[in-house]
Amino acid sequence: MGREKKLLQRKQKLRTYKKLFVIATEGEKTEKNYFKEIQESDLNDSDLIRIEILESPDGESSPKHVLKRLTDYKKKYPIIERDELWLVIDKDRWGEGHLSEVAQETMQKGFYLAVSNPCFELWLYLHYKNVSELSNEEKLQIEENKKYRKWTYLETLLKKAATKYSKTQIGFPEYIQLIPRAIDNAKLLDTSTDDRWPQTLGTRVYLLVEKLVK
């Protein structure tokens, strides 16, 4: 045990950055590519922080699977007190009971939680639109996010708002420049900050992104 502790301390001293953010996402591509773009952008100070993104294997996207990936990572790699481990998950496909159980375990483990209601695409749309200004009817359509043929309602809105948006090409460099606007718009929607996740339309991704950018 003494030898393992010394090895862990040695690895920590070799770190060239001050803080590590480990991000486990529900989505397989979109979230991963978005945070990767932040990692490689001028907004991220690599001398201060490092971003580690845990991919979502096919068929293992439930919040419990996302939580397990974070738990396994913490067991395997050296984590120090100031590091932060984040779950980035959606509400749309999971019941209150499932989310409540995951949120409770997340808190017990000292991890952070960023839930989007209904999904991560809302966070992307906030780069372009102040959703809090929309009518209640429009907000309800976004929250329900029904799918028509191959596109959800939010994906349809993003296709209209963004210069480039498709299932495979999202044009994230454009989003990165609009992050300050997205943070402001997300804060305007977040009217129930005492709740563990947005009970109505909203996203807590801004809490993480604020820490990742200069």
Side-chain angles (χ1 to χ4, degrees), residues 27-48:
E28 294 179 38
K29 295 181 180 179
T30 304
E31 293 96 318
K32 179 192 74 172
N33 291 337
Y34 178 86
F35 289 114
K36 184 178 179 181
E37 193 68 43
I38 291 181
Q39 183 180 36
E40 296 174 354
S41 75
D42 293 336
L43 294 177
N44 171 235
D45 191 341
S46 58
D47 291 332
L48 294 177

PDB file of all heavy atoms in Angstrom, residues 27-48:
ATOM      1  N   GLY A  27     -24.334  11.029 -24.874  1.00  0.00           N
ATOM      2  CA  GLY A  27     -24.268  10.898 -26.324  1.00  0.00           C
ATOM      3  C   GLY A  27     -22.943  10.325 -26.795  1.00  0.00           C
ATOM      4  O   GLY A  27     -21.909  10.480 -26.133  1.00  0.00           O
ATOM      5  N   GLU A  28     -22.968   9.673 -27.936  1.00  0.00           N
ATOM      6  CA  GLU A  28     -21.762   9.036 -28.462  1.00  0.00           C
ATOM      7  C   GLU A  28     -20.859  10.009 -29.213  1.00  0.00           C
ATOM      8  O   GLU A  28     -19.631   9.879 -29.188  1.00  0.00           O
ATOM      9  CB  GLU A  28     -22.142   7.890 -29.410  1.00  0.00           C
ATOM     10  CG  GLU A  28     -22.842   6.730 -28.715  1.00  0.00           C
ATOM     11  CD  GLU A  28     -23.213   5.641 -29.700  1.00  0.00           C
ATOM     12  OE1 GLU A  28     -22.421   5.375 -30.617  1.00  0.00           O
ATOM     13  OE2 GLU A  28     -24.309   5.065 -29.572  1.00  0.00           O
ATOM     14  N   LYS A  29     -21.427  11.011 -29.897  1.00  0.00           N
ATOM     15  CA  LYS A  29     -20.616  11.871 -30.766  1.00  0.00           C
ATOM     16  C   LYS A  29     -20.750  13.359 -30.467  1.00  0.00           C
ATOM     17  O   LYS A  29     -19.751  14.053 -30.304  1.00  0.00           O
ATOM     18  CB  LYS A  29     -20.984  11.614 -32.232  1.00  0.00           C
ATOM     19  CG  LYS A  29     -20.647  10.212 -32.717  1.00  0.00           C
ATOM     20  CD  LYS A  29     -21.020  10.033 -34.182  1.00  0.00           C
ATOM     21  CE  LYS A  29     -20.676   8.633 -34.674  1.00  0.00           C
ATOM     22  NZ  LYS A  29     -21.063   8.443 -36.105  1.00  0.00           N
ATOM     23  N   THR A  30     -21.981  13.860 -30.410  1.00  0.00           N
ATOM     24  CA  THR A  30     -22.192  15.306 -30.357  1.00  0.00           C
ATOM     25  C   THR A  30     -21.502  15.943 -29.165  1.00  0.00           C
ATOM     26  O   THR A  30     -20.727  16.884 -29.303  1.00  0.00           O
ATOM     27  CB  THR A  30     -23.699  15.634 -30.318  1.00  0.00           C
ATOM     28  OG1 THR A  30     -24.329  15.038 -31.457  1.00  0.00           O
ATOM     29  CG2 THR A  30     -23.916  17.135 -30.353  1.00  0.00           C
ATOM     30  N   GLU A  31     -21.789  15.444 -27.958  1.00  0.00           N
ATOM     31  CA  GLU A  31     -21.194  16.027 -26.760  1.00  0.00           C
ATOM     32  C   GLU A  31     -19.675  15.886 -26.774  1.00  0.00           C
ATOM     33  O   GLU A  31     -18.939  16.826 -26.456  1.00  0.00           O
ATOM     34  CB  GLU A  31     -21.767  15.361 -25.501  1.00  0.00           C
ATOM     35  CG  GLU A  31     -23.236  15.653 -25.273  1.00  0.00           C
ATOM     36  CD  GLU A  31     -24.118  14.555 -25.820  1.00  0.00           C
ATOM     37  OE1 GLU A  31     -23.834  14.057 -26.939  1.00  0.00           O
ATOM     38  OE2 GLU A  31     -25.099  14.189 -25.148  1.00  0.00           O
ATOM     39  N   LYS A  32     -19.208  14.704 -27.156  1.00  0.00           N
ATOM     40  CA  LYS A  32     -17.761  14.464 -27.191  1.00  0.00           C
ATOM     41  C   LYS A  32     -17.067  15.459 -28.111  1.00  0.00           C
ATOM     42  O   LYS A  32     -16.049  16.070 -27.758  1.00  0.00           O
ATOM     43  CB  LYS A  32     -17.476  13.029 -27.667  1.00  0.00           C
ATOM     44  CG  LYS A  32     -15.984  12.703 -27.750  1.00  0.00           C
ATOM     45  CD  LYS A  32     -15.747  11.399 -28.493  1.00  0.00           C
ATOM     46  CE  LYS A  32     -15.960  11.573 -29.996  1.00  0.00           C
ATOM     47  NZ  LYS A  32     -15.563  10.381 -30.764  1.00  0.00           N
ATOM     48  N   ASN A  33     -17.618  15.649 -29.301  1.00  0.00           N
ATOM     49  CA  ASN A  33     -16.995  16.552 -30.271  1.00  0.00           C
ATOM     50  C   ASN A  33     -17.075  18.012 -29.825  1.00  0.00           C
ATOM     51  O   ASN A  33     -16.164  18.805 -30.092  1.00  0.00           O
ATOM     52  CB  ASN A  33     -17.647  16.381 -31.636  1.00  0.00           C
ATOM     53  CG  ASN A  33     -17.329  15.034 -32.259  1.00  0.00           C
ATOM     54  OD1 ASN A  33     -16.326  14.408 -31.918  1.00  0.00           O
ATOM     55  ND2 ASN A  33     -18.180  14.566 -33.155  1.00  0.00           N
ATOM     56  N   TYR A  34     -18.145  18.371 -29.141  1.00  0.00           N
ATOM     57  CA  TYR A  34     -18.281  19.748 -28.649  1.00  0.00           C
ATOM     58  C   TYR A  34     -17.190  20.049 -27.622  1.00  0.00           C
ATOM     59  O   TYR A  34     -16.496  21.070 -27.710  1.00  0.00           O
ATOM     60  CB  TYR A  34     -19.664  19.949 -28.035  1.00  0.00           C
ATOM     61  CG  TYR A  34     -19.881  21.323 -27.453  1.00  0.00           C
ATOM     62  CD1 TYR A  34     -20.309  22.380 -28.250  1.00  0.00           C
ATOM     63  CD2 TYR A  34     -19.646  21.574 -26.108  1.00  0.00           C
ATOM     64  CE1 TYR A  34     -20.499  23.654 -27.723  1.00  0.00           C
ATOM     65  CE2 TYR A  34     -19.826  22.838 -25.569  1.00  0.00           C
ATOM     66  CZ  TYR A  34     -20.258  23.870 -26.386  1.00  0.00           C
ATOM     67  OH  TYR A  34     -20.434  25.129 -25.853  1.00  0.00           O
ATOM     68  N   PHE A  35     -17.035  19.184 -26.637  1.00  0.00           N
ATOM     69  CA  PHE A  35     -16.030  19.426 -25.595  1.00  0.00           C
ATOM     70  C   PHE A  35     -14.607  19.290 -26.141  1.00  0.00           C
ATOM     71  O   PHE A  35     -13.690  19.968 -25.676  1.00  0.00           O
ATOM     72  CB  PHE A  35     -16.261  18.487 -24.415  1.00  0.00           C
ATOM     73  CG  PHE A  35     -17.480  18.830 -23.615  1.00  0.00           C
ATOM     74  CD1 PHE A  35     -18.565  17.971 -23.581  1.00  0.00           C
ATOM     75  CD2 PHE A  35     -17.557  20.023 -22.917  1.00  0.00           C
ATOM     76  CE1 PHE A  35     -19.705  18.292 -22.856  1.00  0.00           C
ATOM     77  CE2 PHE A  35     -18.685  20.355 -22.188  1.00  0.00           C
ATOM     78  CZ  PHE A  35     -19.763  19.483 -22.156  1.00  0.00           C
ATOM     79  N   LYS A  36     -14.442  18.432 -27.131  1.00  0.00           N
ATOM     80  CA  LYS A  36     -13.135  18.327 -27.783  1.00  0.00           C
ATOM     81  C   LYS A  36     -12.773  19.644 -28.470  1.00  0.00           C
ATOM     82  O   LYS A  36     -11.619  20.075 -28.461  1.00  0.00           O
ATOM     83  CB  LYS A  36     -13.145  17.182 -28.794  1.00  0.00           C
ATOM     84  CG  LYS A  36     -11.790  16.939 -29.448  1.00  0.00           C
ATOM     85  CD  LYS A  36     -11.855  15.749 -30.403  1.00  0.00           C
ATOM     86  CE  LYS A  36     -10.504  15.528 -31.077  1.00  0.00           C
ATOM     87  NZ  LYS A  36     -10.555  14.386 -32.037  1.00  0.00           N
ATOM     88  N   GLU A  37     -13.775  20.293 -29.068  1.00  0.00           N
ATOM     89  CA  GLU A  37     -13.545  21.581 -29.728  1.00  0.00           C
ATOM     90  C   GLU A  37     -13.133  22.641 -28.706  1.00  0.00           C
ATOM     91  O   GLU A  37     -12.245  23.465 -28.971  1.00  0.00           O
ATOM     92  CB  GLU A  37     -14.807  22.022 -30.468  1.00  0.00           C
ATOM     93  CG  GLU A  37     -14.605  23.168 -31.425  1.00  0.00           C
ATOM     94  CD  GLU A  37     -13.761  22.793 -32.636  1.00  0.00           C
ATOM     95  OE1 GLU A  37     -13.959  21.705 -33.197  1.00  0.00           O
ATOM     96  OE2 GLU A  37     -12.888  23.610 -32.994  1.00  0.00           O
ATOM     97  N   ILE A  38     -13.760  22.637 -27.541  1.00  0.00           N
ATOM     98  CA  ILE A  38     -13.354  23.553 -26.473  1.00  0.00           C
ATOM     99  C   ILE A  38     -11.919  23.278 -26.052  1.00  0.00           C
ATOM    100  O   ILE A  38     -11.111  24.197 -25.879  1.00  0.00           O
ATOM    101  CB  ILE A  38     -14.295  23.419 -25.254  1.00  0.00           C
ATOM    102  CG1 ILE A  38     -15.688  23.964 -25.576  1.00  0.00           C
ATOM    103  CG2 ILE A  38     -13.710  24.160 -24.042  1.00  0.00           C
ATOM    104  CD1 ILE A  38     -16.660  23.881 -24.423  1.00  0.00           C
ATOM    105  N   GLN A  39     -11.600  21.999 -25.914  1.00  0.00           N
ATOM    106  CA  GLN A  39     -10.257  21.595 -25.491  1.00  0.00           C
ATOM    107  C   GLN A  39      -9.187  22.121 -26.450  1.00  0.00           C
ATOM    108  O   GLN A  39      -8.101  22.528 -26.022  1.00  0.00           O
ATOM    109  CB  GLN A  39     -10.193  20.069 -25.414  1.00  0.00           C
ATOM    110  CG  GLN A  39      -8.873  19.517 -24.905  1.00  0.00           C
ATOM    111  CD  GLN A  39      -8.899  17.991 -24.858  1.00  0.00           C
ATOM    112  OE1 GLN A  39      -9.497  17.355 -25.715  1.00  0.00           O
ATOM    113  NE2 GLN A  39      -8.292  17.427 -23.849  1.00  0.00           N
ATOM    114  N   GLU A  40      -9.511  22.148 -27.730  1.00  0.00           N
ATOM    115  CA  GLU A  40      -8.526  22.539 -28.737  1.00  0.00           C
ATOM    116  C   GLU A  40      -8.599  24.016 -29.106  1.00  0.00           C
ATOM    117  O   GLU A  40      -7.808  24.488 -29.920  1.00  0.00           O
ATOM    118  CB  GLU A  40      -8.735  21.678 -29.993  1.00  0.00           C
ATOM    119  CG  GLU A  40      -8.473  20.188 -29.745  1.00  0.00           C
ATOM    120  CD  GLU A  40      -8.827  19.328 -30.943  1.00  0.00           C
ATOM    121  OE1 GLU A  40      -9.392  19.888 -31.916  1.00  0.00           O
ATOM    122  OE2 GLU A  40      -8.552  18.118 -30.904  1.00  0.00           O
ATOM    123  N   SER A  41      -9.530  24.754 -28.509  1.00  0.00           N
ATOM    124  CA  SER A  41      -9.718  26.155 -28.862  1.00  0.00           C
ATOM    125  C   SER A  41      -8.847  27.078 -28.014  1.00  0.00           C
ATOM    126  O   SER A  41      -8.258  26.667 -27.004  1.00  0.00           O
ATOM    127  CB  SER A  41     -11.185  26.545 -28.694  1.00  0.00           C
ATOM    128  OG  SER A  41     -11.495  26.692 -27.318  1.00  0.00           O
ATOM    129  N   ASP A  42      -8.806  28.345 -28.396  1.00  0.00           N
ATOM    130  CA  ASP A  42      -8.064  29.353 -27.638  1.00  0.00           C
ATOM    131  C   ASP A  42      -8.749  29.690 -26.330  1.00  0.00           C
ATOM    132  O   ASP A  42      -8.152  30.344 -25.461  1.00  0.00           O
ATOM    133  CB  ASP A  42      -7.914  30.633 -28.472  1.00  0.00           C
ATOM    134  CG  ASP A  42      -7.027  30.428 -29.698  1.00  0.00           C
ATOM    135  OD1 ASP A  42      -6.192  29.499 -29.661  1.00  0.00           O
ATOM    136  OD2 ASP A  42      -7.172  31.184 -30.671  1.00  0.00           O
ATOM    137  N   LEU A  43      -9.990  29.268 -26.162  1.00  0.00           N
ATOM    138  CA  LEU A  43     -10.722  29.564 -24.933  1.00  0.00           C
ATOM    139  C   LEU A  43     -10.256  28.701 -23.771  1.00  0.00           C
ATOM    140  O   LEU A  43     -10.506  29.030 -22.608  1.00  0.00           O
ATOM    141  CB  LEU A  43     -12.223  29.355 -25.147  1.00  0.00           C
ATOM    142  CG  LEU A  43     -12.912  30.297 -26.130  1.00  0.00           C
ATOM    143  CD1 LEU A  43     -14.369  29.914 -26.288  1.00  0.00           C
ATOM    144  CD2 LEU A  43     -12.795  31.740 -25.655  1.00  0.00           C
ATOM    145  N   ASN A  44      -9.598  27.609 -24.082  1.00  0.00           N
ATOM    146  CA  ASN A  44      -9.131  26.679 -23.059  1.00  0.00           C
ATOM    147  C   ASN A  44      -7.655  26.946 -22.755  1.00  0.00           C
ATOM    148  O   ASN A  44      -6.817  26.919 -23.655  1.00  0.00           O
ATOM    149  CB  ASN A  44      -9.335  25.240 -23.528  1.00  0.00           C
ATOM    150  CG  ASN A  44      -8.684  24.229 -22.621  1.00  0.00           C
ATOM    151  OD1 ASN A  44      -7.888  23.413 -23.062  1.00  0.00           O
ATOM    152  ND2 ASN A  44      -8.996  24.275 -21.349  1.00  0.00           N
ATOM    153  N   ASP A  45      -7.334  27.205 -21.508  1.00  0.00           N
ATOM    154  CA  ASP A  45      -5.939  27.437 -21.092  1.00  0.00           C
ATOM    155  C   ASP A  45      -5.332  26.109 -20.662  1.00  0.00           C
ATOM    156  O   ASP A  45      -5.527  25.656 -19.531  1.00  0.00           O
ATOM    157  CB  ASP A  45      -5.898  28.450 -19.944  1.00  0.00           C
ATOM    158  CG  ASP A  45      -4.476  28.923 -19.648  1.00  0.00           C
ATOM    159  OD1 ASP A  45      -3.529  28.221 -20.059  1.00  0.00           O
ATOM    160  OD2 ASP A  45      -4.319  29.984 -19.032  1.00  0.00           O
ATOM    161  N   SER A  46      -4.601  25.473 -21.564  1.00  0.00           N
ATOM    162  CA  SER A  46      -4.054  24.140 -21.299  1.00  0.00           C
ATOM    163  C   SER A  46      -2.990  24.141 -20.214  1.00  0.00           C
ATOM    164  O   SER A  46      -2.637  23.092 -19.677  1.00  0.00           O
ATOM    165  CB  SER A  46      -3.475  23.542 -22.588  1.00  0.00           C
ATOM    166  OG  SER A  46      -2.476  24.392 -23.117  1.00  0.00           O
ATOM    167  N   ASP A  47      -2.450  25.321 -19.882  1.00  0.00           N
ATOM    168  CA  ASP A  47      -1.481  25.391 -18.786  1.00  0.00           C
ATOM    169  C   ASP A  47      -2.171  25.261 -17.427  1.00  0.00           C
ATOM    170  O   ASP A  47      -1.538  24.898 -16.440  1.00  0.00           O
ATOM    171  CB  ASP A  47      -0.725  26.727 -18.822  1.00  0.00           C
ATOM    172  CG  ASP A  47       0.204  26.818 -20.028  1.00  0.00           C
ATOM    173  OD1 ASP A  47       0.660  25.753 -20.490  1.00  0.00           O
ATOM    174  OD2 ASP A  47       0.460  27.936 -20.492  1.00  0.00           O
ATOM    175  N   LEU A  48      -3.464  25.576 -17.398  1.00  0.00           N
ATOM    176  CA  LEU A  48      -4.207  25.527 -16.142  1.00  0.00           C
ATOM    177  C   LEU A  48      -5.059  24.281 -16.006  1.00  0.00           C
ATOM    178  O   LEU A  48      -5.139  23.681 -14.936  1.00  0.00           O
ATOM    179  CB  LEU A  48      -5.102  26.769 -16.018  1.00  0.00           C
ATOM    180  CG  LEU A  48      -4.384  28.113 -15.893  1.00  0.00           C
ATOM    181  CD1 LEU A  48      -5.401  29.250 -15.849  1.00  0.00           C
ATOM    182  CD2 LEU A  48      -3.510  28.147 -14.649  1.00  0.00           C
TER     183      LEU A  48
END
